[in-house]
Amino acid sequence: TNTSPSRAGRPSHNAWRPALAAAIVLAGVAGGISVWVAADVLGGLPHQVDEVVYLLQARWLLDGEVAPAATAIQDHLRVPFTYLVDGRWIGHYPVGWPAVLAVGLAVGAPHLVNSVLGAIFILMAFLVGREVDGELTGLAAAMLATTSPLIRLLSASMFPHLACAVLVSLALWFVLLARRRPRWWWGAGAGLAMGCCLAVRPMTAVAVSLVLGAWLVRETLTSERPRPGWITIAAGVAAGLLASLPTLAHNAAVTGDAFALPYSLTTGTMYHPSLVPFGLRNLDAIVLATSSSLFGWGWPIAVGGLCAALSLAFIAIPFLLRRHRPEDLLLLAIVLVVAIGHLPTKAHG
């Protein structure tokens, strides 16, 4: 008899308390490792030009600017991924992550912002895993995220990936809650998270929002009660649109068009079918390095086609056994749509 909380549909929160405590401990361990990497290994400094531009845009925001006037120094200092347009100095990126970094910059510790987010992500991995398949699955997800070299490095950097991961995980958790305990505010929470994600990593936000919205519609139309319901979906759409307004306002102030991101100022195009070969090459490299970069198993031996095939075979088990559930389809769809959505871009994401 299956007694998994998620499958039974009536989870006992009392049974989750030890697991939640363990997840909190893992989050603390992960946060501590990230602080050490950020401060000692990376020296509290940006190491990629992207991070430099994010930090620069954060400084502008603290100074009350989004695109400050260019000065004479611009003739001698050109920072990649920044543009001079009509006498203004413009950064390449949307406003969301610079705004978060600005909080860390205000207290003199921008390099530790991701360490906090990295700890939160461990908790989100637990909560999503618990909602999908029970507390053991949640703890397994949290433990893998804690020991992942890639996640630990990103949690010590000034890149926006952890902020995006936290927002996507939060939206996913709200959507799963909306299926088990239908309330309009779960939909609103998911929409709010994805609207904020639009200001951090727009392509991921659009791709994941489409999947979450389609899944809520599917569950409303096909599932037995409890079901999310149209009010929950409407609340999610409304909250998502509301949370998107700062991004649209920033776009209008910087590019003159609310629907044109700063990316549009780059030479050429950032998104076009002609870029698919570039995207496929990047995707191939990412897939081949998945087992070692995500989990740190066997580097450099565990890199290549065999390890990638084993990882994909593991994912396929529920589908091959025909024991997959709607949650499995949801997680698979998110992975596929984010990868496909980035194929026609100049960056793999």
Side-chain angles (χ1 to χ4, degrees):
T1 301
N2 192 324
T3 58
S4 169
S6 175
R7 296 170 193 257
R10 297 180 183 275
S12 169
H13 288 273
N14 290 332
W16 290 350
R17 285 176 182 171
L20 179 59
I24 292 173
V25 171
L26 286 173
V29 170
I33 294 173
S34 297
V35 168
W36 167 67
V37 174
D40 192 56
V41 178
L42 299 181
L45 299 172
H47 287 258
Q48 297 288 335
V49 66
D50 311 64
E51 297 174 284
V52 173
V53 178
Y54 283 122
L55 202 56
L56 181 62
Q57 291 183 237
R59 168 54 62 189
W60 294 344
L61 291 175
L62 279 184
D63 293 341
E65 301 272 6
V66 293
T71 64
I73 196 175
Q74 297 304 315
D75 294 331
H76 309 284
L77 172 66
R78 293 297 176 92
V79 179
F81 300 141
T82 66
Y83 314 99
L84 295 179
V85 180
D86 297 330
R88 297 183 306 155
W89 197 10
I90 297 174
H92 182 72
Y93 298 104
V95 69
W97 181 237
V100 177
L101 266 186
V103 176
L105 197 60
V107 297
H111 60 293
L112 298 183
V113 171
N114 263 331
S115 299
V116 176
L117 291 173
I120 295 173
F121 178 69
I122 302 302
L123 292 177
M124 292 313 308
F126 167 74
L127 292 173
V128 170
R130 181 179 72 174
E131 198 63 34
V132 167
D133 197 49
E135 61 269 18
L136 290 179
T137 297
L139 280 176
M143 188 169 295
L144 286 172
T146 300
T147 57
S148 166
L150 182 62
I151 296 177
R152 294 282 61 75
L153 283 171
L154 287 174
S155 299
S157 74
M158 297 186 200
F159 279 107
H161 299 75
L162 258 295
C164 177
V166 167
L167 290 168
V168 169
S169 300
L170 185 63
L172 176 59
W173 184 51
F174 283 143
V175 164
L176 292 169
L177 286 175
R179 181 180 186 238
R180 179 167 59 83
R181 294 185 293 179
R183 299 290 188 276
W184 67 266
W185 49 80
W186 301 133
L192 185 64
M194 296 315 300
C196 292
C197 189
L198 184 70
V200 177
R201 295 187 65 81
M203 176 54 64
T204 298
V206 171
V208 175
S209 294
L210 291 174
V211 172
L212 295 181
W215 194 78
L216 283 174
V217 170
R218 176 191 180 277
E219 290 300 299
T220 296
L221 291 174
T222 62
S223 65
E224 299 178 358
R225 294 185 179 279
R227 62 183 63 172
W230 298 110
I231 295 178
T232 298
I233 295 172
V237 172
L241 292 175
L242 183 64
S244 300
L245 292 179
T247 303
L248 301 180
H250 180 261
N251 291 345
V254 170
T255 68
D257 184 348
F259 297 99
L261 289 158
Y263 302 137
S264 62
L265 299 174
T266 189
T267 303
T269 178
M270 283 288 296
Y271 197 89
H272 193 270
S274 64
L275 298 173
V276 168
F278 179 89
L280 286 171
R281 186 167 64 250
N282 276 314
L283 181 62
D284 178 66
I286 291 171
V287 171
L288 289 178
T290 293
S291 59
S292 57
S293 63
L294 281 182
F295 307 119
W297 297 333
W299 174 267
I301 299 172
V303 177
L306 177 60
C307 292
L310 290 174
S311 299
L312 296 173
F314 182 76
I315 295 169
I317 288 174
F319 302 96
L320 293 174
L321 296 178
R322 297 184 178 182
R323 297 175 66 176
H324 63 275
R325 296 167 293 128
E327 294 90 341
D328 300 308
L329 290 171
L330 174 61
L331 295 175
L332 180 62
I334 289 175
V335 173
L336 293 178
V337 76
V338 170
I340 293 171
H342 279 88
L343 287 183
T345 70
K346 284 185 178 179
H348 52 68

